[in-house]
Amino acid sequence: MKWVPKFNSSNSLRVIFVIAVFILLFLSSIAYKHNQDLNASSKLAMHTYEINIQLERLMSAIKDAETGQRGYIITRNNRFLSPYIYSRDKVNTSFITLKKLTADNPVQQENLRKLFKLIIQRFTSFENCFKYSDPKTYDKRKLDNHMFGGRILMENIRFQVDKMNDIEKKYLDRRLKIYDQEISLSPVFSISLFLAALLFILLAYRQISKDIQRLKVFNKKLLISSRLMSESEAIGKFSTWQWDLETQKIDYSDNQYRLLGERPDAFIPKKETFLDFVHPDDKEAIAASMEDILNKKQLPFIYYKVLRADREIRYFKSTGKLLTDQQGGNILLGINFDITDEHLLNIELQERNDELEKSNKELASFNHVASHDLQEPLRKIQTFISRIPEAEKAKLSDSARDYLYKIEVSAKRMRVLIDDLLLFSRTNTTKKEFIKSNLNELAENAKSELLEIIDEKKAVITVSKLPKLSVIPYQIEQLFINLIGNSLKYSRPDTIPEIHIESEKINSCDYPGVLDQNTRKYHKITFKDNGMGFDPQFKETIFVLFQRLHSKTDYPGTGIGLAICKKITDNHKGYIIADSIPNEGSEFTVFLPD
């Protein structure tokens, strides 16, 4: 390694930094000067503002005195003398303040003296007006002369005040003009100096980068130990260690001791001391993995239990990676993770999965019973009832025929109920295979299924252009069947059912209380009819299993159809809502994610 170039490089860096610092200091001095000039201009502006205010207050006090004088002369009411009496104090106060503010300005001092002289004359005029307006000493000619003279004095006072304000404004304009001239050239000059300083800093950075490339000595501790890493280990429940395979020296991070239930540096890190903390069930496997580290120079993921100093059992996961330093030494860097919480959670999840699997088996058994064992007696009941000829039924008593009819109706209702339960069950248990499908085709399939009742009621079904989505086709088709069928079932008597199905793409943020905001786009599909409708207070309960709003004698059904619709939209990570106006119609809205 050549030290002379480094020495010269170091000197060059010093020179560059000195120049850059000098330029920056010069820029700071310019900025400070401009700041001082700005501060002086601000003070001058405030000074002018204060003089203007005091002059306005002076004029206001004289006007108050003039108003009080007139009021008193006209009404002879002493209350009008209050503004006149207090105005003298106000004038004196403002005059004293103005005298202090203009102490450094002889011209304004002279103007102020003249102003005060005019004010004294004005107040003398006030006194004469009071004197010759008094009934005892009333003299109309002298009163008019003094009133007229007072008005002329007031004009002179106003002129003198305006003159002082104009002088202050000229002072301010002159100072601002000088400031603008001083600052006009400073941006270009400052930017030029800044760019020059930046150039020197970049040159220094380039030189430093070259020097860094020539550095050969790395500090091993910088790879592992740092304050940030220590805090991260405590938060993340992991620890780090390094094993120098040349010297067999092992170093632990502070959190490694804590994970083992000890204080930092409570014992000397060795293979043997670590094995003392390993649970007896895993001690042999960990000892073998340590030998593999020495032989294979690597450590794959290994899971084991640890028996802490407080006799608490914790679950660990460890891994390592071999690094080679600049001197050719081999260092194995390792990480230990405390995965006790994850392990216990996995056990809990496994138990729940077992329970779910058991529940699924029971549900499958129920499906088998519902589809075979329960339907078989129903088929026999319906078969036997159908075999009773009409002649035999005629021989029965009225009550017997009524009972027979009720048995037949109940059997049919039981068959519908079992079929609906099986359909609801299949939405939970059947394999959910999503296929890119045209929803218009699925809607047409649903209309074909309901063709008989559509023709019977002469229903008009209008379907707009629907999107192509990845869905479970048979479930979406069932969704269309149930919603269209629901509108047909609850159509109004003597009214041709009209059902309109429309679709549009919307943003989830438009429905913050309804849709998941993590999914940005949804397809909104609405089913609107002109049926009998329902009370809006039931717009959520109608999706509950077996929930019915009407008697089964009025409208056939099991109360499962809309629950199936809700389950189908859940399977598609979508939503369904309903709204209605009684005797006007209902609107069901389905939201499917894009």
Side-chain angles (χ1 to χ4, degrees):
M1 185 177 292
K2 298 181 180 179
W3 292 102
V4 174
K6 286 189 176 182
F7 179 77
N8 293 335
S9 174
S10 177
N11 289 336
S12 300
L13 285 175
R14 289 192 183 96
V15 172
I16 291 172
F17 273 116
V18 167
I19 294 174
V21 169
F22 175 78
I23 293 175
L24 292 175
L25 289 174
F26 188 68
L27 284 173
S28 299
S29 65
I30 293 175
Y32 176 77
K33 182 178 181 302
H34 288 163
N35 185 57
Q36 292 297 105
D37 291 342
L38 182 60
N39 188 38
S41 298
S42 299
K43 288 181 178 179
L44 184 60
M46 289 300 298
H47 183 268
T48 301
Y49 178 69
E50 289 177 3
I51 291 177
N52 291 339
I53 289 176
Q54 292 303 325
L55 289 173
E56 288 296 328
R57 288 179 179 174
L58 197 65
M59 284 298 301
S60 176
I62 297 172
K63 289 178 182 178
D64 290 343
E66 190 174 44
T67 302
Q69 177 208 43
R70 290 175 182 173
Y72 177 74
I73 291 173
I74 294 171
T75 64
R76 308 308 297 179
N77 190 334
N78 290 331
R79 285 185 301 176
F80 286 97
L81 289 177
S82 296
Y84 171 76
I85 295 171
Y86 291 126
S87 64
R88 287 180 175 272
D89 294 335
K90 293 180 181 178
V91 167
N92 290 333
T93 302
S94 297
F95 181 75
I96 292 171
T97 304
L98 286 169
K99 195 170 184 180
K100 292 179 180 178
L101 291 173
T102 59
D104 59 342
N105 192 330
V107 176
Q108 290 290 64
Q109 284 276 302
E110 178 62 23
N111 289 330
L112 185 61
R113 187 186 63 76
K114 292 178 181 179
L115 177 62
F116 191 67
K117 183 177 179 180
L118 290 171
I119 292 172
I120 292 174
Q121 292 176 4
R122 183 63 180 120
F123 273 95
T124 302
S125 176
F126 286 151
E127 294 294 335
N128 290 327
C129 289
F130 285 138
K131 177 180 177 181
Y132 293 112
S133 64
D134 191 284
K136 296 178 181 180
T137 58
Y138 178 75
D139 188 330
K140 184 178 183 306
R141 184 180 61 81
K142 292 183 179 181
L143 178 61
D144 290 342
N145 289 338
H146 286 294
M147 290 291 285
F148 181 75
R151 187 170 61 184
I152 294 174
L153 285 171
M154 198 65 185
E155 290 295 329
N156 292 335
I157 291 172
R158 188 176 290 107
F159 174 79
Q160 192 66 21
V161 168
D162 292 341
K163 181 179 179 181
M164 292 183 70
N165 282 331
D166 291 341
I167 291 174
E168 289 296 327
K169 187 176 182 300
K170 289 179 180 179
Y171 287 147
L172 180 61
D173 292 341
R174 190 183 309 122
R175 183 64 184 88
L176 292 177
K177 185 177 181 180
I178 294 172
Y179 177 76
D180 290 339
Q181 290 175 352
E182 290 179 351
I183 204 172
S184 60
L185 295 176
S186 61
V188 176
F189 186 62
S190 298
I191 291 173
S192 301
L193 288 175
F194 175 77
L195 292 176
L198 182 62
L199 177 62
F200 281 107
I201 291 173
L202 291 175
L203 290 174
Y205 174 77
R206 180 184 178 188
Q207 191 65 40
I208 291 171
S209 299
K210 290 181 178 179
D211 290 344
I212 289 176
Q213 297 299 323
R214 291 193 293 265
L215 292 177
K216 299 298 181 180
V217 180
F218 290 178
N219 189 341
K220 297 178 182 179
K221 292 291 184 178
L222 293 178
L223 297 173
I224 307 299
S225 302
S226 68
R227 182 66 179 174
L228 179 61
M229 178 61 72
S230 178
E231 295 296 332
S232 300
E233 289 181 5
I235 295 172
K237 294 183 179 179
F238 70 94
S239 63
T240 56
W241 48 269
Q242 61 176 346
W243 187 351
D244 192 325
L245 299 182
E246 306 299 328
T247 62
Q248 293 300 307
K249 183 182 178 182
I250 301 175
D251 288 324
Y252 287 164
S253 66
D254 289 346
N255 209 46
Q256 173 70 10
Y257 294 95
R258 298 190 189 101
L259 292 180
L260 298 175
E262 296 282 2
R263 291 178 291 100
D265 300 322
F267 57 88
I268 299 175
K270 293 181 180 180
K271 291 189 298 181
E272 295 76 12
T273 54
F274 180 75
L275 286 173
D276 291 339
F277 290 95
V278 178
H279 194 278
D281 295 345
D282 300 320
K283 189 168 293 189
E284 184 176 348
I286 296 301
S289 69
M290 287 183 172
E291 292 300 324
D292 287 341
I293 292 174
L294 295 174
N295 297 329
K296 300 179 181 179
K297 305 294 193 277
Q298 63 178 353
L299 175 64
F301 275 113
I302 183 169
Y303 299 83
Y304 56 96
K305 299 188 292 293
V306 166
L307 191 61
R308 289 171 29 128
D310 55 6
R311 311 310 295 170
E312 180 184 358
I313 296 177
R314 305 292 293 182
Y315 294 84
F316 274 33
K317 177 178 73 172
S318 298
T319 187
K321 182 178 181 180
L322 185 67
L323 296 179
T324 303
D325 62 18
Q326 293 296 319
Q327 286 73 37
N330 291 325
I331 301 173
L332 185 68
L333 300 181
I335 302 179
N336 294 338
F337 298 92
D338 186 337
I339 59 169
T340 305
D341 295 339
E342 292 86 345
H343 179 78
L344 297 178
L345 181 61
N346 288 336
I347 293 176
E348 183 180 354
L349 289 176
Q350 185 60 44
E351 292 175 352
R352 292 185 179 180
N353 287 337
D354 294 341
E355 293 176 1
L356 183 60
E357 186 175 352
K358 181 180 178 181
S359 175
N360 287 338
K361 289 180 180 179
E362 292 175 353
L363 187 58
S365 176
F366 166 77
N367 288 341
H368 183 271
V369 171
S371 60
H372 296 87
D373 299 349
L374 290 180
Q375 295 198 48
E376 180 60 24
L378 279 176
R379 281 195 293 269
K380 289 182 178 179
I381 291 172
Q382 291 176 319
T383 300
F384 291 145
I385 291 175
S386 65
R387 288 180 180 178
I388 300 176
E390 292 298 326
E392 293 293 334
K393 291 181 181 179
K395 295 178 182 180
L396 298 175
S397 64
D398 291 341
S399 60
R401 283 197 301 274
D402 186 48
Y403 291 147
L404 190 63
Y405 173 74
K406 290 182 178 180
I407 292 172
E408 185 176 7
V409 171
S410 297
K412 289 180 180 179
R413 175 168 170 75
M414 188 65 179
R415 168 63 62 85
V416 173
L417 181 61
I418 291 174
D419 289 342
D420 285 350
L421 283 173
L422 284 172
L423 183 59
F424 182 78
S425 175
R426 278 198 294 271
T427 61
N428 286 327
T429 58
T430 308
K431 182 179 179 182
K432 300 177 179 62
E433 184 178 359
F434 287 80
I435 300 174
K436 189 81 170 183
S437 306
N438 188 332
L439 267 58
N440 281 101
E441 295 179 1
L442 300 181
E444 290 300 320
N445 294 342
K447 288 168 62 177
S448 299
E449 286 288 328
L450 299 168
L451 186 61
E452 184 177 348
I453 187 172
I454 292 173
D455 293 339
E456 178 186 339
K457 295 200 172 189
K458 297 182 176 57
V460 178
I461 302 176
T462 305
V463 183
S464 66
K465 184 177 181 181
L466 302 179
K468 292 182 179 180
L469 297 175
S470 292
V471 296
I472 308 170
Y474 80 90
Q475 288 194 7
I476 295 298
E477 185 176 316
Q478 188 64 50
L479 175 72
F480 279 101
I481 291 173
N482 287 8
L483 291 177
I484 296 173
N486 191 74
S487 296
L488 294 172
K489 181 193 297 185
Y490 296 106
S491 60
R492 285 183 289 172
D494 303 325
T495 301
I496 295 177
E498 294 183 5
I499 304 171
H500 299 278
I501 305 175
E502 299 177 345
S503 172
E504 64 172 317
K505 198 171 184 180
I506 54 98
N507 296 319
S508 59
C509 59
D510 297 333
Y511 298 84
V514 178
L515 305 180
D516 181 8
Q517 299 302 304
N518 293 324
T519 303
R520 295 181 58 188
K521 300 287 185 180
Y522 281 86
H523 287 276
K524 174 185 173 184
I525 305 173
T526 55
F527 297 76
K528 191 172 184 179
D529 62 49
N530 61 343
M532 61 185 296
F534 59 87
D535 192 330
Q537 66 175 315
F538 301 114
K539 65 182 181 180
E540 294 183 2
T541 57
I542 59 175
F543 296 109
V544 179
L545 196 64
F546 300 120
Q547 183 68 42
R548 294 174 52 87
L549 303 183
H550 305 277
S551 171
K552 63 184 179 181
T553 57
D554 296 334
Y555 294 92
T558 59
I560 300 177
L562 291 180
I564 292 174
C565 293
K566 177 70 167 60
K567 192 63 186 175
I568 290 173
T569 55
D570 289 346
N571 290 342
H572 288 79
K573 300 187 186 305
Y575 302 86
I576 183 171
I577 58 175
D579 202 1
S580 178
I581 300 176
N583 298 321
E584 291 190 17
S586 302
E587 182 174 332
F588 289 83
T589 305
V590 176
F591 298 94
L592 297 177
D594 184 18

